[in-house]
Amino acid sequence: MSLLVENMTIRFGGLTAVSGISLEVRPGEILGIIGPNGAGKTTLLNGISGFTDLVSGRVRVDGQDMEGLPPDQRAKRGLVRSFQATRVFDSLTVLEHLAVVPHADPADGDVREILEMLRLTPYLPHRPKDLPYGVKRNLGLALALLMRPRFLLIDEPSSGLSADESSEISKALASSAARNIGICVIDHDMRFLRRLARRMLVLNSGEMVASGDTDDVLASDSVRRVYLGGAVV
Ligand SMILES: Nc1ncnc2c1ncn2[C@@H]1O[C@H](COP(=O)(O)OP(=O)(O)OP(=O)(O)O)[C@@H](O)[C@H]1O
Ligand SMILES: [Mg+2]
């Protein structure tokens, strides 16, 4: 039982954005993905979720090969990419967003729990533009969680958020992992990631620089070199 990525390579013309990357995430586990701007982190998540074509590599969910499946088909099989507020619909209320997700009946206990956890309950009749920024960002995560992922891929959830909002997202991710969802999370905020992820994968220029236990990875010389003068704490 795992999300398994084997030897993934993605090129844009002459640029190798992701170069032979492998990783494994088990249910309930959180893997942090870090690396400088342009390292290939977002491209890696796009390759896993089916938004970008691979030159080579395999993605398996619980042994099932995802090759050739578009993102929505992968989502149906439990592999869900969360796109923050960029992918919400301006004209729909929060409640109407729920109708877009199959089986997300707001009367169900687990749906109510997700809405409560992400502070969305009072905003059900509101449209995204009327939500406080942090709550609007929560909507993207709520929609992803309502798809009942087995594995969730999330890109920079803490960016642009206040300390309180970011700790709210952090709690939501930790509690999702506690409910046995496996999570790959990219972020530039090391404090945020360090609290969440027991394991980390470090990318630089598309290549894996290090991977392993978070404390070991952040202490390693190769990672410190990549982040020289950067934000490792
Ligand atoms: N659609 C695309 N077409 C061409 N080049 C791309 C495309 N998407 C990404 N790239 C390039 O691939 C490399 C990796 O980009 P990517 O967005 O994956 O980096 P990242 O690690 O997510 O960076 P950031 O921390 O800034 O979000 C960069 O050099 C980028 O310019
Ligand atoms: Mg990115």
Side-chain angles (χ1 to χ4, degrees), residues 36-43 81 155-156 186 188:
N37 295 118
K41 305 179 298 294
T42 298
T43 306
R81 166 101 151 85
D155 196 352
E156 301 200 22
I186 297 173
H188 284 289

Side-chain angles (χ1 to χ4, degrees), residues 194-208:
R194 188 171 219 165
R195 267 201 313 261
L196 270 177
R198 292 260 304 279
R199 281 198 305 128
M200 286 222 188
L201 173 76
V202 188
L203 293 181
N204 189 31
S205 303
E207 303 200 349
M208 193 183 80

